[in-house]
Amino acid sequence: MNYVLIGSLILLVVAFAIGFYRGLFGLLGGLLTWMIILGFLYVATPLIEAKYMDGAVYKKFYNSVSEHISTSLITKENKTIDSLNAAAGDDTTDTQDSTTDVGTPKKAAIDLSDSESLRDYLGKLGISIPKKASDFISKAVDSTTNAAAEIVSNITADNADKLSEANNTIVDTLSARTAALMVKGLAILTSLLIAFIITRALALIAQFIGDLPVVGGFSRFLGGVWGIIVALLIIWIFMDVVTCFSITPNGAKLVSQIQNNAFLDFLYVENPLAFLINK
């Protein structure tokens, strides 16, 4: 059952009904309210994000993500090492082939600075994230991280002693960027909460005026249309937050529900508020 789709449809219907009831004055009041909210989000989110990055919030997210990625890396690494040891135990005589390509450097097949490559790499570790999240995280990857990923993905007897350092490099780079994305999501939520509190008085005034008997049927219809627009804004902000927390199990489930439905996926891809993530 796609709970995201059900919730989105309910929100759209309820928002239209509320907007229809409020009518034109509710529309104007709501328009002003959301102009203030979106403006506040644009200005305040980076400031709140900077505060979170300098405090315990970022460290908590970083530790959580690094443990998640590290566990996935070690699980895959142990399986590879076991296979390597088993193969070494079976091969005790033929050592000539192992030196055939000495002096020929192996071309790196991994480029985690590419968004799709990063998604594939994490997917093999059992970590699924949407493209918008990988776009953000991949920007932090440099040649050192790619080299470390190459070592971890191609474990041999010669580089086994470098695995620990390589793992630390990968975990640190990806965890730092992912934790920053999660901080951004929390900052968006915090900004939204503050903005709602600030605009509550205006909303109550608009609701009072909208209930006056001078409101006609046409203005009610416009209010319903605005209600749908408000619902879409809420859905798009929600999708931004989901993207920021997509590496978590619950976030991954929500992303999956969004991408498995054509309507939600269209809203997700065409989200005009995606600038809140990339800002």
Side-chain angles (χ1 to χ4, degrees):
M1 183 177 294
N2 195 324
Y3 295 105
V4 178
L5 177 61
I6 294 174
S8 298
L9 292 177
I10 292 175
L11 179 61
L12 288 169
V13 173
V14 171
F16 176 82
I18 293 175
F20 184 85
Y21 176 74
R22 287 183 176 179
L24 182 59
F25 287 102
L27 164 66
L28 296 176
L31 177 61
L32 176 61
T33 297
W34 274 94
M35 287 178 61
I36 295 174
I37 289 175
L38 292 178
F40 189 86
L41 280 173
Y42 186 82
V43 174
T45 297
L47 301 177
I48 296 174
E49 180 184 347
K51 291 293 184 180
Y52 284 155
M53 288 292 291
D54 290 337
V57 173
Y58 170 78
K59 293 180 180 178
K60 184 175 181 179
F61 283 152
Y62 176 89
N63 292 335
S64 177
V65 174
S66 62
E67 181 179 355
H68 185 34
I69 296 177
S70 179
T71 299
S72 300
L73 274 173
I74 293 174
T75 299
K76 183 181 179 183
E77 173 188 305
N78 287 341
K79 292 180 180 178
T80 305
I81 291 177
D82 289 342
S83 300
L84 186 66
N85 290 336
D90 293 338
D91 186 6
T92 56
T93 57
D94 188 5
T95 59
Q96 201 169 17
D97 290 341
S98 63
T99 59
T100 303
D101 295 329
V102 173
T104 303
K106 182 176 180 180
K107 183 179 179 180
I110 296 178
D111 181 11
L112 301 186
S113 60
D114 175 73
S115 178
E116 291 297 330
S117 297
L118 177 61
R119 289 182 68 198
D120 291 340
Y121 183 81
L122 291 176
K124 292 176 182 178
L125 297 179
I127 301 174
S128 176
I129 60 174
K131 185 177 183 302
K132 290 184 179 181
S134 63
D135 287 345
F136 182 88
I137 299 171
S138 63
K139 293 178 181 178
V141 176
D142 55 17
S143 58
T144 302
T145 307
N146 283 328
E150 187 69 25
I151 290 175
V152 175
S153 296
N154 298 280
I155 299 175
T156 65
D158 293 333
N159 66 18
D161 59 331
K162 301 177 182 178
L163 288 178
S164 178
E165 180 180 353
N167 279 337
N168 289 337
T169 299
I170 297 170
V171 170
D172 182 65
T173 301
L174 300 186
S175 297
R177 189 67 170 175
T178 303
L181 182 61
M182 296 173 73
V183 165
K184 188 180 291 290
L186 185 60
I188 292 173
L189 285 175
T190 304
S191 299
L192 187 62
L193 177 61
I194 296 174
F196 273 135
I197 294 174
I198 292 175
T199 58
R200 183 56 182 166
L202 293 175
L204 291 175
I205 294 173
Q207 182 178 356
F208 172 77
I209 297 176
D211 289 337
L212 296 177
V214 294
V215 178
F218 182 67
S219 66
R220 291 182 182 276
F221 172 76
L222 290 178
V225 173
W226 175 249
I228 292 179
I229 294 175
V230 170
L232 288 173
L233 291 173
I234 294 174
I235 291 171
W236 282 324
I237 293 174
F238 169 74
M239 287 179 172
D240 281 344
V241 174
V242 168
T243 297
C244 293
F245 289 91
S246 57
I247 197 170
T248 64
N250 289 332
K253 290 179 182 178
L254 292 174
V255 169
S256 177
Q257 291 189 7
I258 291 172
Q259 294 180 333
N260 287 335
N261 179 268
F263 172 66
L264 293 177
D265 188 57
F266 173 78
L267 293 180
Y268 183 75
V269 173
E270 302 299 331
N271 185 353
L273 301 183
F275 70 85
L276 291 172
I277 295 178
N278 298 320
K279 189 174 184 296

